[in-house]
Amino acid sequence: MTLAIEMQNLHKRFGDLHAVQGVSLTVQAGEILSLLGPNGAGKSTIISMLSGLLQPTEGDALVMGHSIRREPEAAKACLGVVPQDIALYPDLSARENLLFWGKMYGLRGAALKKRVDEVLEIIGLVDRQKGRVDKFSGGMKRRVNIAAALLHKPQVVIMDEPTVGIDPQSRRHILDNVKELNRQGMTVLYTTHYMEEAAELSDHIAIMDHGRVIAYGTHDELIRLVGEQTRIDLTLNVDAGRVLTAWQQVEGVSRASAQDGLVTVLVDDSNRVLPRLFEAATAAGARITGVDIREPNLEAVFLHLTGRALRD
Amino acid sequence: MRILDLAFKDLSQVLRDKMSLLFLIVMPVVFTFFMGLAFSGATRPTDPRLALGWANADGESRFSQQLYADLEASGSVRWVEVDPAEAEAAVRQGQVAGALVIPAGFGQAVFSPAPLQLTLIADQASTAGQSLYQIVQAAVARMFSAVEIARLDVTMLDAQNVLPDEAARAEERQAALEAALAEWTQTDRQRAWVRVESAVAQTDNGVPLGGNPFNQSSPGMLVQFAISGMIGAAGIVVQERKTRTLQRLITTAMKPWQIIAGHWLAMVTLVLGQTLLLVLFGQLVLDVNYFREPLGVLLVAVAFSLWIASMGLFIGVLAQGQEQVILFCLIAMFLFTSLGGAWFPLEVTGQVFSLIGHLTPGAWAMDGFQNILVRGLGLASVWQPVGVLVAYALLFFALAVWRFRVREA
């Protein structure tokens, strides 16, 4: 298969901060690859390097065979970039924004107008196309933000956390758009810290932490890393440190960690282990005030790999 | 093409903003008017020409009358009859901007090997004095060139003595014409036919501004408000950075210099439009004679606009936010307008101040306009100011692109 993106030992340093540490990943043409990780994992830095906003400190990447170092314009011409922040002119209407960005991508005349009509249809804003962007809701702005990157029918679309801070309806709309674009043949590199999105969209997922790819594979392959373990989140009426050690000794617990007053435990069989956790808590003079049982998922994978929860 | 699209988008955004129209048009017009009133002492003379004393001790000679008529026809001076013995006093008292003294016997000595020298009494440090010298010198040079031609013609006729028929006369006329044309090109226009005596007016009656106080305030405010256009140019970059659209532009296939060039083109258009509007206002409402040399005015306006846009974009690329844009631009505006002679003529400030002032582009823009408006000079006089302004524009454009590449891309 053709490689749409090939990252070759990418590094980025900001002074003492080593934000991206030797990332090598490939994205096959026509697939969706999600970069999943908490804030600060290096996802957006990778996106910025691919889209020409940052120069790699070391390494290179090829976009449709064009080096981002040696042929940045050719590489960028193959890309549609949906930035994390809304990047539109607030005093222009949705249509005016799209017409302008279309021109920046080299479209002209009737072809431009036709394409703007098409993307307005895709994002479901035909009726609001003449409204000023600064009067739009957050979700509508996000949709226009995406549309602007699709005007020139790029071979590769890079989306940097496109669903941050929007309502569920708009989020659903965006996820459906991503799947439809991919169905039409576009390659998508998608970054998120929502594991549900990565799970729903992706052909492959790269889990990142502290500037490194710590796991890569399909959703099922990654889940198998934690051995089908169940995650139990527990809240206590006392400090978690009082029971953490005791719980780590309980038979059937493979891992237990505490963060922000919440204790997360990975177990093989929740029905068997949960009563033992209650017993151990009682013995330590603590009372469990909340229990949330979750089937194996990407968050459990992250916890398994890093000892931390995948949260903001 | 993308550069044009970007420029067009910028312009459409600016022109939608009613506040920007206030700054672009209304405020400059109001300030021009009030600054003009300040220079005129609240009264505006009806005749914008420089008052030149006619101190004629030569009677009604052919040449003094010719000089009188030529200078009057220049449209830059109006004659005020003064007694030759009181010419200097008339200048000192501010009754006239200068006085031209025609010595007795001047007409008779014109064809002699050593013609008598004319004397211009004026304040050489003032704009009006310098202008009068240029105007008088040009008229006198023309007259003496004609004298040279006539003398040559007579010499040739004397040498040939007999012109037998009309064909021979025609041939002779042609030969004389060719010779006269050749002689004209060799005439020494810098020869000191006019001697200058200094006299400084001790009263302030507005005369140093070429008779029209708006000759200072109109180009002065034009320069000041054009410089304030830097805020707009710089603001575009900062606003685009804030709305993340600048970053999005970088992710397109546009090169950094193309992005800067697009914004630059928009700002050049805007500043030039504002400048030309103020030129029209000055010409049509304030009797400031920009149309004396329209091409020269246009060249200065274009060169100045190029620099403003480049400087503004450089500030925009440097600034961290809108507050810094305003701070940097205000510093630049006060520095360039005050040192550049936009608020008061540099001629009244002394040599050192004027020298320092000419390190700023504002002074060169004022020079360009004042050469035409006050000094009565022609198109050739704007080439140097235009050249300096274009050089400044190129320098700051290059700096803006360099800084943009380092910082943004």
Side-chain angles (χ1 to χ4, degrees):
Chain A
M1 278 184 80
T2 313
L3 285 181
I5 299 174
E6 184 180 1
M7 301 176 218
Q8 302 166 339
N9 192 32
L10 276 180
H11 285 263
K12 185 65 191 178
R13 291 187 183 84
F14 300 102
D16 293 336
L17 176 66
H18 201 164
V20 175
Q21 304 178 32
V23 169
S24 296
L25 277 173
T26 56
V27 186
Q28 303 287 341
E31 78 164 344
I32 299 178
L33 171 72
S34 289
L35 298 179
L36 176 68
N39 288 338
K43 308 183 299 291
S44 292
T45 307
I46 287 177
I47 298 294
S48 295
M49 286 191 281
L50 291 175
S51 54
L53 288 167
L54 290 173
Q55 280 285 311
T57 310
E58 204 180 310
D60 196 0
L62 306 181
V63 178
M64 300 308 294
H66 301 290
S67 162
I68 59 169
R69 280 181 176 278
R70 295 187 303 277
E71 316 161 79
E73 276 79 34
K76 286 193 278 187
C78 303
L79 285 175
V81 180
V82 181
Q84 185 171 350
D85 299 304
I86 304 297
L88 300 167
Y89 295 102
D91 53 339
L92 300 185
S93 71
R95 186 175 185 83
E96 286 169 331
N97 263 290
L98 294 175
L99 285 170
F100 170 73
W101 288 111
K103 288 173 187 169
M104 292 301 102
Y105 286 119
L107 299 175
R108 292 281 177 280
L112 171 63
K113 287 177 185 165
K114 183 168 177 282
R115 185 59 186 156
V116 167
D117 290 337
E118 286 171 4
V119 294
L120 281 167
E121 190 74 45
I122 290 170
I123 61 171
L125 286 178
V126 175
D127 295 340
R128 300 295 304 273
Q129 60 179 293
K130 290 183 181 171
R132 273 172 59 128
V133 165
D134 57 0
K135 307 290 182 201
F136 281 6
S137 68
M140 288 161 70
K141 286 179 189 171
R142 287 261 169 216
R143 280 142 73 179
V144 181
N145 203 35
I146 292 172
L150 306 177
L151 288 158
H152 58 308
K153 296 184 179 172
Q155 291 157 289
V156 181
V157 181
I158 293 179
M159 295 182 163
D160 191 5
E161 310 220 22
T163 57
V164 168
I166 59 172
D167 59 280
Q169 188 187 353
S170 291
R171 188 180 184 192
R172 184 72 260 153
H173 201 285
I174 288 171
L175 295 179
D176 289 345
N177 281 162
V178 174
K179 285 193 271 190
E180 175 59 22
L181 291 170
N182 181 246
R183 195 187 60 74
Q184 292 172 10
M186 282 188 194
T187 305
V188 180
L189 177 58
Y190 191 95
T191 79
T192 182
H193 59 268
Y194 298 128
M195 59 146 193
E196 303 88 352
E197 289 183 6
E200 178 181 342
L201 294 173
S202 315
D203 296 303
H204 286 93
I205 299 164
I207 299 179
M208 293 193 67
D209 191 39
H210 295 310
R212 295 176 191 275
V213 175
I214 56 173
Y216 172 84
T218 63
H219 177 259
D220 291 345
E221 286 169 348
L222 290 172
I223 293 296
R224 280 199 288 275
L225 287 176
V226 291
E228 308 288 341
Q229 289 186 316
T230 299
R231 172 181 153 175
I232 306 173
D233 289 333
L234 302 111
T235 48
L236 298 163
N237 69 336
V238 294
D239 182 63
R242 238 163 110 171
V243 295
L244 194 60
T245 309
W247 280 353
Q248 283 167 343
Q249 311 300 322
V250 170
E251 190 186 345
V253 171
S254 64
R255 191 171 200 133
S257 63
Q259 195 175 337
D260 301 332
L262 187 72
V263 181
T264 301
V265 180
L266 290 180
V267 302
D268 295 326
D269 181 347
S270 56
N271 284 345
R272 191 165 55 86
V273 174
L274 200 53
R276 294 175 188 165
L277 294 177
F278 274 87
E279 285 169 21
T282 305
R287 191 167 71 240
I288 295 171
T289 56
V291 178
D292 185 10
I293 301 170
R294 299 187 185 190
E295 290 301 308
N297 57 25
L298 291 171
E299 199 149 358
V301 175
F302 190 82
L303 181 72
H304 173 77
L305 294 171
T306 67
R308 290 180 289 114
L310 179 61
R311 283 189 287 264
D312 278 335
Chain B
M1 194 63 186
R2 291 177 207 196
I3 293 173
L4 288 178
D5 291 328
L6 183 53
F8 184 75
K9 187 274 301 170
D10 283 352
L11 285 173
S12 71
Q13 281 182 294
V14 172
L15 294 176
R16 285 177 195 202
D17 183 3
K18 292 183 176 64
M19 282 300 285
S20 67
L21 292 180
L22 179 75
F23 278 95
L24 279 170
I25 299 168
V26 179
M27 282 183 65
V29 165
V30 171
F31 271 76
T32 300
F33 195 72
F34 281 109
M35 287 295 279
L37 291 182
F39 274 103
S40 67
T43 55
R44 200 178 133 218
T46 53
D47 192 339
R49 296 173 299 170
L50 288 167
L52 180 60
W54 178 245
N56 184 16
D58 190 38
E60 298 293 314
S61 84
R62 164 78 181 79
F63 294 101
S64 58
Q65 293 309 307
Q66 180 68 40
L67 199 54
Y68 186 96
D70 283 353
L71 281 167
E72 190 164 48
S74 74
S76 300
V77 300
R78 63 185 168 86
W79 287 119
V80 176
E81 299 279 349
V82 295
D83 188 308
E86 294 172 2
E88 188 176 333
V91 176
R92 289 192 187 284
Q93 289 163 13
Q95 295 165 4
V96 287
L100 184 61
V101 181
I102 315 292
F106 171 74
Q108 285 185 334
V110 158
F111 279 108
S112 72
L116 293 176
Q117 206 170 29
L118 300 169
T119 301
L120 175 67
I121 302 170
D123 178 5
Q124 296 169 62
S126 75
T127 308
Q130 292 171 13
S131 302
L132 281 177
Y133 177 74
Q134 299 283 349
I135 295 164
V136 171
Q137 179 73 5
V140 174
R142 274 196 303 276
M143 193 180 81
F144 273 92
S145 295
V147 167
E148 292 290 333
I149 293 166
R151 190 164 56 185
L152 183 66
D153 196 28
V154 170
T155 304
M156 290 182 71
L157 285 170
D158 284 349
Q160 301 212 1
N161 205 12
V162 177
L163 297 170
D165 53 26
E166 188 54 36
R169 285 191 196 93
E171 190 180 348
E172 175 50 34
R173 272 199 297 275
Q174 185 61 32
L177 179 63
E178 295 298 332
L181 287 172
E183 189 66 22
W184 166 263
T185 59
Q186 292 165 23
T187 302
D188 181 5
R189 295 175 65 102
Q190 297 306 313
R191 188 172 152 193
W193 286 298
V194 182
R195 182 169 61 91
V196 182
E197 280 186 8
S198 189
V200 180
Q202 291 165 344
T203 58
D204 179 11
N205 63 356
V207 172
L209 295 172
N212 183 353
F214 293 112
N215 280 350
Q216 169 64 31
S217 72
S218 174
M221 288 302 102
L222 181 154
V223 164
Q224 173 170 326
F225 277 91
I227 290 177
S228 73
M230 278 179 197
I231 295 176
I236 281 181
V237 177
V238 170
Q239 185 63 19
E240 287 213 325
R241 198 184 291 130
K242 187 179 167 189
T243 59
R244 313 296 290 178
T245 45
L246 190 62
Q247 287 80 348
R248 182 165 226 152
L249 276 173
I250 294 168
T251 67
T252 69
M254 282 187 92
K255 295 186 167 110
W257 74 264
Q258 291 175 315
I259 296 172
I260 291 290
H263 292 318
W264 181 79
L265 193 59
M267 290 320 299
V268 168
T269 309
L270 212 59
V271 174
L272 183 61
Q274 180 199 44
T275 302
L276 295 181
L277 265 175
L278 291 177
V279 164
L280 275 179
F281 177 74
Q283 177 73 41
L284 301 177
V285 180
L286 306 176
D287 288 339
V288 179
N289 197 2
Y290 287 104
F291 289 179
R292 245 200 81 247
E293 191 55 70
L295 184 57
V297 169
L298 183 65
L299 283 172
V300 176
V302 169
F304 190 52
S305 306
L306 298 180
W307 169 68
I308 297 284
S310 300
M311 183 78 201
L313 286 172
F314 180 57
I315 289 175
V317 173
L318 283 183
Q320 300 290 337
Q322 195 64 31
E323 296 79 12
Q324 281 194 357
V325 162
I326 292 171
L327 178 68
F328 292 165
C329 288
L330 283 179
I331 290 171
M333 191 170 86
F334 285 120
L335 201 67
F336 295 144
T337 49
S338 59
L339 288 179
W343 294 343
F344 42 79
L346 284 182
E347 285 84 351
V348 304
T349 61
Q351 200 173 3
V352 175
F353 192 97
S354 176
L355 200 66
I356 294 170
H358 277 87
L359 296 175
T360 71
W364 290 99
M366 284 302 290
D367 271 1
F369 288 124
Q370 299 293 44
N371 282 349
I372 292 165
L373 298 176
V374 178
R375 297 177 192 119
L377 303 178
L379 182 62
S381 71
V382 304
W383 288 120
Q384 189 185 21
V386 166
V388 173
L389 288 169
V390 169
Y392 270 116
L394 291 174
L395 172 69
F396 282 101
F397 183 83
L399 285 172
V401 172
W402 165 73
R403 190 62 204 157
F404 183 77
R405 286 178 66 92
V406 169
R407 178 173 177 174
E408 312 286 353

